Amino acid sequence: MNLFNEDDIFRMGPSNGPEIISMITDGDDKFKFNEGDGDNIPVLALRNMVLFPGVILPVALGRKKSLNAVRTAYKHHQLIGVFSQKDPKVEDPDMSDLYSTGTVAQVIKMLDMPDGTTNAILQGKAKVNLLTLDTEGAFYRGNMEEIKEEYPAKNDKEFNALLSSIKDCAIKIIKGGGQFPPEASFAISNIENTRSLVNFICGNFNFENEQKQHLLELNSLKERGYQTLQLLNGEVKMVEIKMEIQSKTQNELEQQQREYYLHQQIKTIQNELGNSDDASTDIERFTESAKNKKWSKETGEIFEKEVKKLKRLSPHSPEYGVQYNYLETILGLPWGEYTKDNFNLKKAQKTLDRDHFGMDTVKERILEHLAVLKLKNDMKSPIICLYGPPGVGKTSLGKSIAESLGRKYVRMSLGGVHDESEIRGHRRTYIGAMPGRIIQNLQKAGSSNPVFILDEIDKVSHDYKGDPESALLEVLDPEQNSTFHDNFLDMDYDLSKVMFIATANDVSSISKPLLDRMELIEISGYIPDEKIEIARRHLLPKALQEVGLKDEQLQLPKDTLAYIIDRYTKESGVRSLDQQIGKIVRKIAKKVVMEEEYNTALKPNEVKDLIGTERFMHDIYEGNEYAGVVTGLAWTSVGGEILFIETSLSKVKQGKLTLTGNLGNVMKESAMIALEYVRSHAEQIGIDPVQFEENDVHIHVPEGAVPKDGPSAGITLLTSIASAFTKRKVRKNLAMTGEITLRGKVLPVGGIKEKILAAKRAGIKEIALCVENKKDIDEIKPIYLKGLTFHYVSDASEVLQFALLQEKATL
């Protein structure tokens, strides 16, 4: 029996097993499996291998029973049955764990390896079927019978063509796969034994173990050849794909090497020209910093493109500075970097209560807003706009929200901004170009989800350079700001996670499209009691800390604070109060340093010695002795005020109306409407129509230097005119507010809370207003309404019937 020659040995490396030496033998067709040859012979269980007849295969022996079985067969020149395991993880297989179809083999040689392991070289002889398996003893034994295989005729042209195709595919795989040595293709080309060729390829090419076992179980060599060709065709396609990938990779490597050499040449040329090497350092720093950025793939591609552009520029050229500044801006932005939100509403409520006294409705609305954000888990919610008079704490509310959420805080003042590029930035083509203030502030914050305060949004103006409000439309629209485009950056930046909070004093000056994008939350002024508490809890401790005094060195009792608020401030907020307290604290600090005596508990009569004479005297109700004098309520930017409307008649036969007191157009029109209503309803009111022809009417509103406008004085003007013509007294301690129409219908007005505060300061007891303003009264806390009686009217006749007494007034 011819075993093998040295030339028949070459290395094969299947993917599912260790690298092995496979050998091809010819001349095994003479082997005869006689009756009894398969009785009680050693059995070897293989993992991840299948031995085919006509193939010589080295096997590494790891299990003790496997080693004993091979040694016994080798020592006694016995055959050995070789069967593959169904599951290679099974350590001690029984008959159910082995495939029943295997190969009877002869042990050619035993090899002791340097690493202590033992290898055996097996030569497959014939295909057999395992009948029984004895797992007891030092090794497995079994009984098996030969399985006869069907061979095609030698002159079968179809089979010969099949063999040729198998050889071609195998050679393609060997040449392109990289896992076979080149001489393998030569060996396969020269195999003459058809069974050895098919079985060799089945056993040693990169097929799955289950596929090899299936091929072994096929009794027809021709069928085995067809299925082997099918598997080889799949391997050929894989090889072609791998070769294509390798070719592309090789081209890319060659391109990279070419670019590297060119860059090195450019670097050498620049060094020869005397250019510094700082440019290379900058580029390396930019590239290194970019590795840690969490930006999108598109942003990364743009950045790499701009870095390559920087490489081509000389450090001494003006364009280099522009490009350098642009790359630094990109790297300075917090791409994809977010602080973790802490949506603990109880903590947020404590923070708001700690920093701001009162404002319960506003704080409740803010907590509702935060609750919605927590449930939705995104920032696509209405933009908050806090509006109200100066000094009421709009900006500081935003700071408290940022603290409660654990976010960074950014404030951008929009007062006086009139250039659109302030928001969107300048294009890089301009000298001194820079990004807009939105992008600049995000750089400072170092986070893509800060609380962003847009302060004084109502102070934005526009000129020939553009309209900043139009740029803010994109910033404040949750549906658009995820792709905010800055002209300098020239790429989209996501602002959807930013929590924008705008502040304003007067929303009437904000454009309608911008106003529609914001949810308005009104912050009204404080009553004196609230100002006293704010001063005690916040303003005084802060002022003492700023000058270095301790709490026990100065105390401001409630009556002293009330005196300061009433005589030295005229505002809805507490900014002027803060300034006056600061003056007092500084005066006391001077006394402490100069060791002068002073009263630590400051009394009201001592305030004048420290900060000077009283600055303000609030209007006080003056009584109802004069006909034609009526008390009205007005809203101003510093809160509510009372105003007196005076009407006098003069015996001049012209019937002329004169208006004085620096009145605006709307208020003048209200006076004309009121006079016209009185004329048309003269008899109902009790006026002789002739009086309108015999008297000129003069309406005056005192403090003529102060501009006054608005429709809310309508019913006040009506009552004043009617009182002047009828000579009837006006109800005592009464003030009123409301717009009037020609039909006499009373319309609602705004600023109700501020007007009520002004009425309480002036000693008013009763207030007449439109019935539709009752909803505004219902929203005001009872503490504001204490001591006041409200009379709701819907028609001018109701106003006059209630306001005018039958008693005649003093002329």
Side-chain angles (χ1 to χ4, degrees):
M1 181 184 295
N2 180 26
L3 296 180
F4 58 87
N5 298 321
E6 292 296 329
D7 294 337
D8 296 323
I9 302 175
F10 57 89
R11 290 194 172 271
M12 305 287 291
S15 62
N16 56 351
E19 188 178 43
I20 58 174
I21 301 175
S22 297
M23 290 147 278
I24 311 167
T25 65
D26 288 339
D28 286 331
D29 294 335
K30 297 178 181 179
F31 173 78
K32 299 296 182 183
F33 189 82
N34 299 317
E35 186 177 353
D37 287 349
D39 295 340
N40 198 29
I41 66 173
V43 172
L44 174 64
L46 292 182
R47 309 182 208 238
N48 294 320
M49 288 184 185
V50 177
L51 177 62
F52 283 78
V55 176
I56 296 177
L57 182 70
V59 177
L61 304 173
R63 289 180 286 206
K64 190 173 181 180
K65 284 191 175 184
S66 299
L67 184 60
N68 291 339
V70 173
R71 281 180 174 169
T72 300
Y74 182 65
K75 182 177 180 180
H76 298 288
H77 304 287
Q78 281 184 286
L79 295 175
I80 186 170
V82 182
F83 299 89
S84 293
Q85 289 184 205
K86 297 176 181 177
D87 184 359
K89 296 179 182 178
V90 178
E91 189 63 31
D92 295 315
D94 55 22
M95 189 166 179
S96 63
D97 296 318
L98 300 178
Y99 288 106
S100 59
T101 301
T103 304
V104 68
Q106 184 176 355
V107 183
I108 304 301
K109 195 168 183 60
M110 298 282 292
L111 302 173
D112 293 323
M113 307 305 291
D115 58 359
T117 59
T118 301
N119 286 6
I121 299 176
L122 307 178
Q123 182 181 18
K125 293 299 182 181
K127 188 166 73 171
V128 292
N129 185 38
L130 182 63
L131 302 175
T132 62
L133 180 67
D134 182 8
T135 59
E136 302 296 331
F139 55 88
Y140 292 164
R141 291 179 177 273
N143 295 324
M144 55 205 73
E145 62 180 5
E146 183 181 9
I147 300 174
K148 297 296 183 179
E149 293 189 303
E150 301 175 6
Y151 299 103
K154 290 186 178 181
N155 58 354
D156 189 334
K157 294 182 179 180
E158 181 184 351
F159 183 68
N160 291 334
L162 175 63
L163 289 178
S164 178
S165 298
I166 290 174
K167 283 185 179 183
D168 292 342
C169 287
I171 291 170
K172 281 184 181 179
I173 295 170
I174 291 170
K175 290 182 177 180
Q179 61 177 340
F180 302 109
E183 57 268 21
S185 59
F186 175 78
I188 289 176
S189 300
N190 290 281
I191 296 176
E192 298 296 336
N193 188 299
T194 57
R195 186 184 70 158
S196 295
L197 174 62
V198 174
N199 288 348
F200 174 79
I201 292 174
C202 290
N204 290 287
F205 273 66
N206 191 22
F207 305 149
E208 296 292 335
N209 203 54
E210 291 79 4
Q211 293 174 332
K212 291 181 180 181
Q213 181 66 31
H214 173 69
L215 293 173
L216 177 65
E217 292 174 357
L218 294 173
N219 291 333
S220 170
L221 186 63
K222 190 173 184 179
E223 181 61 26
R224 187 182 300 163
Y226 272 115
Q227 295 201 22
T228 301
L229 180 61
Q230 185 178 359
L231 293 174
L232 288 175
N233 282 328
E235 289 295 316
V236 168
K237 290 180 181 178
M238 288 296 296
V239 169
E240 289 174 351
I241 293 171
K242 288 179 182 178
M243 292 179 68
E244 184 179 351
I245 294 172
Q246 288 176 355
S247 176
K248 288 182 179 178
T249 306
Q250 184 65 28
N251 292 336
E252 290 177 1
L253 288 173
E254 290 176 357
Q255 180 65 22
Q256 288 176 4
Q257 290 174 350
R258 182 173 177 273
E259 290 179 357
Y260 172 77
Y261 289 132
L262 289 173
H263 285 310
Q264 289 299 110
Q265 290 176 0
I266 292 172
K267 185 177 178 181
T268 304
I269 293 170
Q270 288 180 343
N271 289 336
E272 289 294 328
L273 291 172
N275 294 338
S276 72
D277 204 29
D278 292 342
S280 300
T281 306
D282 292 338
I283 291 168
E284 290 175 5
R285 180 169 59 86
F286 288 153
T287 306
E288 191 65 27
S289 300
K291 294 179 181 178
N292 301 322
K293 288 296 175 183
K294 302 175 184 177
W295 50 36
S296 63
K297 182 181 177 182
E298 293 78 9
T299 305
E301 291 173 352
I302 293 173
F303 178 80
E304 291 176 4
K305 178 182 176 183
E306 297 298 331
V307 169
K308 290 178 181 178
K309 189 184 294 183
L310 184 68
K311 290 179 182 179
R312 296 193 294 269
L313 296 174
S314 169
H316 302 292
S317 66
E319 292 83 359
Y320 186 88
V322 175
Q323 191 69 10
Y324 180 92
N325 186 31
Y326 176 66
L327 291 172
E328 278 215 322
T329 301
I330 295 178
L331 288 173
L333 283 169
W335 299 91
E337 296 178 15
Y338 305 101
T339 54
K340 187 176 181 181
D341 287 333
N342 180 16
F343 283 112
N344 187 338
L345 296 190
K346 292 183 179 179
K347 178 187 174 185
Q349 188 169 16
K350 287 181 180 179
T351 303
L352 292 172
D353 290 339
R354 180 197 68 196
D355 297 341
H356 300 84
F357 181 80
M359 296 194 294
D360 294 336
T361 304
V362 177
K363 289 188 285 190
E364 183 68 21
R365 179 63 192 89
I366 290 172
L367 291 174
E368 292 171 1
H369 185 78
L370 298 180
V372 171
L373 295 183
K374 181 177 181 180
L375 292 175
K376 289 180 63 181
N377 198 26
D378 64 24
M379 286 293 105
K380 289 189 176 180
S381 59
I383 310 297
I384 291 178
C385 179
L386 306 173
Y387 75 97
V392 294
K394 300 184 294 295
T395 305
S396 60
L397 262 175
K399 198 168 187 178
S400 298
I401 294 171
E403 182 183 346
S404 63
L405 286 176
R407 291 194 177 195
K408 300 292 182 68
Y409 172 77
V410 179
R411 174 184 169 274
M412 185 176 82
S413 177
L414 295 174
V417 173
H418 55 82
D419 188 351
E420 182 183 349
S421 59
E422 289 282 320
I423 307 299
R424 287 193 180 276
H426 308 80
R427 298 195 180 278
R428 281 184 288 161
T429 52
Y430 298 106
I431 296 174
M434 62 178 63
R437 293 171 65 184
I438 300 288
I439 295 298
Q440 289 181 33
N441 280 287
L442 286 175
Q443 282 182 300
K444 293 177 185 177
S447 166
S448 290
N449 65 335
V451 173
F452 203 120
I453 304 298
L454 298 171
D455 217 1
E456 309 290 352
I457 198 170
D458 56 326
K459 306 298 190 299
V460 174
S461 58
H462 57 87
D463 58 12
Y464 67 95
K465 296 180 181 178
D467 184 3
E469 282 192 341
S470 300
L472 287 172
L473 291 177
E474 181 183 4
V475 175
L476 298 182
D477 192 339
E479 300 299 326
Q480 298 181 38
N481 62 12
S482 60
T483 55
F484 173 70
H485 190 86
D486 184 274
N487 291 329
F488 180 82
L489 202 61
D490 201 22
M491 65 177 81
D492 293 338
Y493 193 87
D494 186 4
L495 299 178
S496 61
K497 300 295 188 297
V498 178
M499 186 175 184
F500 288 103
I501 299 178
T503 70
N505 297 129
D506 183 13
V507 294
S508 63
S509 61
I510 303 175
S511 66
K512 287 293 182 183
L514 188 57
L515 205 59
D516 288 342
R517 283 164 168 77
M518 300 186 292
E519 182 172 343
L520 301 178
I521 299 179
E522 183 181 5
I523 303 179
S524 54
Y526 300 110
I527 62 173
D529 291 344
E530 288 179 332
K531 290 183 180 180
I532 290 171
E533 287 300 318
I534 291 170
R536 289 178 61 248
R537 299 185 185 191
H538 302 287
L539 304 183
L540 181 58
K542 184 188 74 170
L544 291 173
Q545 184 179 5
E546 286 178 353
V547 300
L549 291 178
K550 297 179 181 178
D551 294 344
E552 60 269 14
Q553 289 179 291
L554 176 64
Q555 297 173 10
L556 296 178
K558 287 187 177 181
D559 57 341
T560 304
L561 287 171
Y563 178 78
I564 296 170
I565 292 167
D566 186 51
R567 302 304 175 88
Y568 291 89
T569 65
K570 187 177 182 181
E571 58 175 350
S572 294
V574 291
R575 189 165 290 143
S576 294
L577 178 59
D578 188 24
Q579 293 169 359
Q580 298 304 323
I581 291 175
K583 287 181 183 180
I584 293 173
V585 170
R586 288 192 294 272
K587 295 287 185 181
I588 298 300
K590 178 185 173 185
K591 290 181 178 294
V592 171
V593 173
M594 298 182 70
E595 298 181 353
E596 297 177 4
E597 293 185 2
Y598 69 96
N599 187 7
T600 55
L602 198 64
K603 296 179 180 179
N605 57 8
E606 296 173 324
V607 173
K608 188 182 295 185
D609 297 333
L610 293 174
I611 57 176
T613 58
E614 300 168 349
R615 295 178 57 191
F616 300 105
M617 290 295 293
H618 288 286
D619 290 328
I620 304 298
Y621 176 73
E622 298 178 352
N624 63 343
E625 300 302 323
Y626 295 93
V629 179
V630 184
T631 305
L633 297 175
W635 180 90
T636 68
S637 61
V638 294
E641 290 291 338
I642 68 167
L643 53 82
F644 300 102
I645 295 179
E646 305 171 350
T647 301
S648 66
L649 307 178
S650 56
K651 292 287 184 178
V652 180
K653 295 184 179 181
Q654 292 180 350
K656 183 175 68 173
L657 173 64
T658 303
L659 299 170
T660 58
N662 200 356
L663 308 184
N665 291 331
V666 177
M667 196 166 182
K668 289 178 181 178
E669 291 170 358
S670 295
M672 295 167 64
I673 292 171
L675 178 59
E676 187 62 32
Y677 179 86
V678 173
R679 280 177 176 170
S680 60
H681 296 79
E683 294 181 357
Q684 299 174 15
I685 299 172
I687 303 172
D688 185 355
V690 178
Q691 292 189 49
F692 296 105
E693 299 176 1
E694 296 177 348
N695 294 284
D696 283 353
V697 181
H698 186 166
I699 299 175
H700 176 69
V701 183
E703 296 188 26
V706 180
K708 309 168 191 73
D709 201 6
S712 62
I715 62 174
T716 312
L717 290 163
L718 169 70
T719 306
S720 176
I721 295 170
S723 174
F725 276 103
T726 61
K727 305 298 186 292
R728 292 163 63 181
K729 279 187 176 183
V730 177
R731 186 178 293 274
K732 193 174 182 179
N733 295 320
L734 172 67
M736 55 186 67
T737 182
E739 184 180 353
I740 189 174
T741 69
L742 276 174
R743 295 173 295 155
K745 183 175 178 60
V746 180
L747 302 180
V749 292
I752 297 298
K753 182 179 177 182
E754 285 77 7
K755 292 175 180 178
I756 289 173
L757 296 180
K760 291 192 70 173
R761 284 198 303 266
I764 299 296
K765 303 297 183 185
E766 296 182 275
I767 297 177
L769 68 166
C770 177
V771 68
E772 293 183 32
N773 280 125
K774 188 177 186 303
K775 63 180 183 300
D776 300 307
I777 301 298
D778 294 338
E779 293 177 356
I780 299 174
K781 295 173 65 174
I783 188 174
Y784 294 93
L785 310 177
K786 189 176 180 181
L788 294 174
T789 303
F790 296 94
H791 302 275
Y792 301 105
V793 295
S794 59
D795 190 84
S797 60
E798 297 177 27
V799 177
L800 297 178
Q801 184 178 356
F802 170 73
L804 296 181
L805 304 175
Q806 296 300 323
E807 182 182 354
K808 295 294 181 177
T810 303
L811 296 177

